[in-house]
């Protein structure tokens, strides 16, 4: 059994989708990041960066429990455990890994900033909104050109690169994106969205997430609570 400590966010959904695609048994523990659950000592023991998701695999590589944090690392762990969604050949593996790193280093952070300044920042800062909206559009363009040449992000096979990127594009409207500008990527997005395991994965904890409207939750996520020594 894999214990999953998560919330209904793009990074959480990456792991939910992977578990569903692999058919691994798992149990979800909600970490309400608006309520500050991510700062609980029990969670910090397995996720020292106080970010979701994290997992505990009761049947680790040596038969003993192992905990993992960081969604990209979790995807790599699960593909090593199951042998799924990462090519075995060296060239194919590194094709996938570079696009996984592209998600971790660019798609997640930049689209996250676009969300923050377009939706959540208490002050609407035109410079920040323009900067991160333009960066979102640039990244969509990179992916659109890649999908124009391949069926999937890293080639002709569905891999952890697709699993990692897809959840971040579900909020395309909030990122200032017009799908008409990225027709190849839109076709890919629709194909991934139609996968039964993906549909199950994005529903995990979806009923628990609420719109970010109260000041306490905003302060917990974006205020000084984040920076207290623990």
């Amino acid at each position: 059994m894999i214990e999953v400590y998560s919330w209904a966010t793009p990074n959480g959904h990456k792991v939910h989708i992977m578990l569903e695609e692999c058919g691994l048994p798992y149990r979800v523990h909600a970490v309400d990041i608006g309520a500050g659950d991510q700062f609980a000592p029990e969670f910090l023991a397995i996720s020292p960066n106080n970010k979701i998701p994290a997992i505990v695999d009761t049947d680790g590589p040596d038969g003993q429990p192992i905990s993992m944090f960081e969604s990209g690392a979790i995807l790599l762990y699960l593909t090593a455990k199951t042998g799924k969604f990462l090519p075995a050949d060296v060239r194919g593996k590194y094709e996938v890994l570079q696009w996984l790193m592209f998600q971790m280093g660019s798609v997640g952070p930049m689209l996250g900033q676009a969300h923050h300044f377009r939706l959540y920042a208490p002050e609407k800062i035109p410079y920040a909104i323009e900067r991160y909206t333009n960066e979102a559009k640039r990244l969509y363009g990179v992916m659109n050109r890649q999908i124009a040449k391949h069926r999937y992000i890293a080639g002709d096979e569905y891999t952890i690169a697709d699993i990692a990127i897809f959840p971040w594009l579900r909020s395309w409207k909030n990122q200032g994106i017009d799908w008409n500008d990225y027709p190849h990527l839109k076709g890919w997005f629709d194909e991934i969205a139609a996968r039964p395991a993906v549909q199950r994965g994005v529903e995990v904890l979806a009923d628990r997430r609420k719109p970010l409207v109260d000041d306490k939750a905003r302060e917990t996520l974006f205020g000084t609570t984040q920076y207290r020594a623990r």
Side-chain angles (χ1 to χ4, degrees):
M1 178 66 68
I2 294 181
E3 309 290 345
V4 184
Y5 299 82
S6 191
W7 196 240
T9 71
N11 284 333
H13 286 323
K14 286 187 226 175
V15 174
H16 310 159
I17 291 169
M18 182 65 173
L19 289 165
E20 289 287 345
E21 291 280 16
C22 291
L24 290 169
Y26 68 97
R27 179 166 45 219
V28 178
H29 305 269
V31 180
D32 186 341
I33 58 177
D37 293 353
Q38 68 272 35
F39 305 118
E42 303 80 30
F43 182 67
L44 291 174
I46 59 172
S47 183
N49 194 32
N50 63 257
K51 304 293 184 182
I52 61 94
I55 66 168
V56 176
D57 184 359
T58 57
D59 181 23
D62 52 3
Q64 299 298 313
I66 184 173
S67 64
M68 296 286 299
F69 71 101
E70 285 295 330
S71 57
I74 295 170
L75 292 182
L76 289 170
Y77 174 78
L78 293 175
T79 197
K81 183 180 179 73
T82 62
K84 296 181 177 181
F85 307 117
L86 184 67
D89 66 286
V90 173
R91 181 178 297 274
K93 180 175 72 172
Y94 284 106
E95 285 287 341
V96 172
L97 291 180
Q98 67 183 349
W99 287 100
L100 177 64
M101 297 304 117
F102 168 78
Q103 187 281 307
M104 300 297 295
S106 295
V107 171
M110 294 299 102
L111 299 190
Q113 293 293 343
H115 289 166
H116 181 79
F117 286 106
R118 289 175 63 91
L119 299 178
Y120 302 131
E123 178 186 354
K124 297 302 180 186
I125 305 171
Y127 175 82
I129 292 170
E130 181 179 10
R131 172 178 170 77
Y132 290 110
T133 300
N134 285 340
E135 181 63 5
K137 292 177 180 179
R138 188 189 72 80
L139 293 170
Y140 272 71
V142 171
M143 293 182 283
N144 188 65
R145 290 189 294 275
Q146 176 70 358
I147 293 296
K149 298 180 290 184
H150 303 283
R151 180 175 179 181
Y152 296 109
I153 287 291
D156 296 322
E157 295 181 25
Y158 177 71
T159 69
I160 54 174
D162 302 284
I163 292 171
I165 289 171
F166 171 78
W168 280 99
L169 307 195
R170 294 177 70 227
S171 296
W172 55 272
K173 188 179 296 184
N174 292 337
Q175 298 154 11
I177 295 299
D178 182 346
W179 272 129
N180 291 322
D181 296 330
Y182 312 98
H184 304 295
L185 188 61
K186 179 61 163 62
W188 168 89
F189 180 87
D190 290 343
E191 179 179 344
I192 305 302
R195 294 177 68 93
V198 172
Q199 293 175 353
R200 293 192 301 271
V202 298
E203 286 301 313
V204 174
L205 296 173
D207 62 333
R208 297 286 300 273
R209 186 173 181 179
K210 301 179 179 64
L212 188 60
V213 293
D214 70 272
D215 291 339
K216 182 178 179 182
R218 284 177 178 273
E219 199 285 327
T220 299
L221 286 171
F222 308 130
T224 57
T225 298
Q226 284 280 344
Y227 309 112
R228 291 178 192 154
R230 290 179 172 84

